[in-house]
Each structure stands twice: as structure tokens, then as C-alpha cells.
Amino acid sequence: MSDFIKLTNVTKTYTRGKESISIFDKLTLSIPKGDFVAIMGPSGSGKTTLLNLLGGTDRCDSGEIVFDGEHIEGYSEGQLAAWRARNVGFIFQFYNLMPVLTAAQNVELPLMLTSLTSLPSQKRKDNVATALKIVDLSDRAGHKPKELSGGQQQRVAIARAIVSDPKFLLCDEPTGDLDRATANDILKTLQQLNRELGKTIIMVTHDPEAARFATRTLHLDKGQFVEVTS
């Protein structure tokens, strides 16, 4: 199976005062299309930095970052914004929903940004309805976040992430704020998106139970990956 996502010799260094902190030194990563990868590692190992690089919200110092044959490491900010809108869905630990908007309006937000604003109004509404149906929240479309449970709010966040039909999902501790039973329900939803819709998923987690829902687990340590399970 060919690589859908490929990082080659990626380096990333942050400067703090007069000190340079190396996060990645010639990091290499290959992810086939349709994979569901859990990434684990100690705090400070670079997991969030990796997601930022993969999502085009941060830049590497050197190396190549290629998605489906498309090099993004040299893109301008405008090109990256347009690329993210087409390709990436983000799911976070905290749902980041707008409290004054309904579930449907929150889900529609990505379709109102950048190149996706050209979608006709009815197409946006159809996409929103489909996304809410996938996460089994059609009956909550008119509810605001305060009227929803934590698990329901995360389902709205997942619907928002998939409403533009992105090629892959980046999940940063998506169950970190949920109880075990609710977390498992959310992970089953991610598993469904992977198995039934073919979404490529990269999930950062500290939770070994969450990692078991992925097809394989990678451990990030000292700027390099070690495959733990497959």
C-alpha cells in the first residue's frame, strides 16, 4: 500500500530565550491511506507539535511533508489555509463549540471559511445534515452546547470535523475530558469513520485503552517513532 502521508527527515527546533530546543531531528513517518494510528509518548515528546506540522498550522525547519503526493512544506500561509480546508478535519480534547450557536450551526462553520464559502447554501445544509446523521445527532441539530452532554458535544465536534469530507482527521486527546463509557462511544465513532468511510485518522492519546481502537500504535520518544502494536 502506497504512503498517503509521508514525513522525511523533518527537523523542528524552538528557541526559548538563548536556548534552542530540538523537538525533531530527521523524523520519518509513513502512513498508508485508510490507516488509524494512535500516537503515544510522554509529555513534552512532541506529540502536539507533530499534529501541528501534519495539519499545516506549524512549519518544519527542514525536510519534506507530503500528503497524497502534495508537498506542503513550502506552501504560503494562504495556500496552507486552502489546503487545510480541503483536506483536514480537527478534533480536540475540548470541543471548542460556539456557545451561542446550535449544533447544526457549529457544524456548518468550516463550510463558511476560505475556499468552502463558494458552496451553495442548500449544499451546506445537506452536508451538515449528513454529518450529524453519521454521529447520530440529527435530533439535536437545534440544541446549543449547554443543552448537550459532554459526549454529545464531542459528537458535534466530530460532525464539524467531517462536514467538509476531509481526507484525514487529526485528533488531539479526543476522549481526554470524558468518562470511560462515553469515551468508548466516541472511539467507536472514530473507528466507524475509519472502517466504513475510509477516513485516515491520526490520534494523539495518553490512554492505552483509547489506543486499542486504532489499527496500530506508535510511541514517540526522543524525536523518533517506535511501533508498539499493529
Side-chain angles (χ1 to χ4, degrees):
M1 188 179 296
S2 61
D3 293 325
F4 173 60
I5 300 171
K6 189 170 181 63
L7 278 63
T8 305
N9 293 329
V10 167
T11 64
K12 180 65 181 178
T13 301
Y14 290 113
T15 301
R16 184 180 300 164
K18 296 182 178 180
E19 184 182 9
S20 292
I21 302 172
S22 176
I23 306 298
F24 300 128
D25 182 16
K26 296 184 178 180
L27 178 71
T28 295
L29 173 64
S30 296
I31 297 176
K33 188 169 185 174
D35 208 355
F36 183 175
V37 182
I39 295 175
M40 304 187 72
S43 297
S45 62
K47 299 186 300 297
T48 298
T49 298
L50 176 67
L51 289 189
N52 291 338
L53 293 175
L54 292 171
T57 58
D58 199 357
R59 296 179 179 275
C60 61
D61 298 325
S62 63
E64 294 183 340
I65 303 178
V66 183
F67 290 89
D68 205 15
E70 188 174 1
H71 286 256
I72 71 165
E73 71 274 1
Y75 277 3
S76 68
E77 292 301 323
Q79 288 172 319
L80 278 174
W83 174 82
R84 281 194 300 271
R86 295 192 315 269
N87 294 285
V88 192
F90 294 94
I91 302 169
F92 304 99
Q93 177 177 351
F94 302 108
Y95 325 120
N96 296 332
L97 301 178
M98 299 291 289
V100 299
L101 300 181
T102 65
Q105 290 168 334
N106 270 285
V107 173
E108 189 179 10
L109 277 178
L111 302 180
M112 309 294 288
L113 303 174
T114 62
S115 60
L116 298 176
T117 56
S118 61
L119 285 176
S121 175
Q122 188 57 51
K123 174 61 174 172
R124 292 201 304 270
K125 293 183 185 302
D126 290 345
N127 283 18
V128 170
T130 297
L132 286 171
K133 182 178 180 180
I134 288 172
V135 300
D136 197 23
L137 277 184
S138 297
D139 60 339
R140 295 291 188 268
H143 289 62
K144 293 182 178 179
K146 67 180 180 181
E147 301 169 318
L148 302 172
S149 68
Q152 289 172 333
Q153 289 184 60
Q154 188 62 299
R155 287 182 181 276
V156 172
I158 293 172
R160 180 183 58 193
I162 64 174
V163 70
S164 60
D165 194 22
K167 292 183 178 178
F168 66 100
L169 300 175
L170 296 178
C171 309
D172 193 358
E173 298 284 358
T175 60
D177 200 40
L178 302 172
D179 63 77
R180 182 78 270 156
T182 304
N184 286 347
D185 285 341
I186 293 299
L187 291 161
K188 288 175 184 176
T189 298
L190 293 177
Q191 206 171 54
Q192 175 188 2
L193 292 171
N194 173 249
R195 292 177 176 177
E196 297 181 14
L197 299 184
K199 295 299 180 187
T200 303
I201 300 177
I202 302 154
M203 176 179 70
V204 160
T205 182
H206 283 98
D207 182 6
E209 291 297 322
R212 290 194 177 99
F213 284 81
T215 53
R216 62 184 174 124
T217 300
L218 299 176
H219 188 84
L220 185 59
D221 189 30
K222 297 179 181 178
Q224 296 296 328
F225 281 111
V226 177
E227 186 159 340
V228 179
T229 61
S230 59

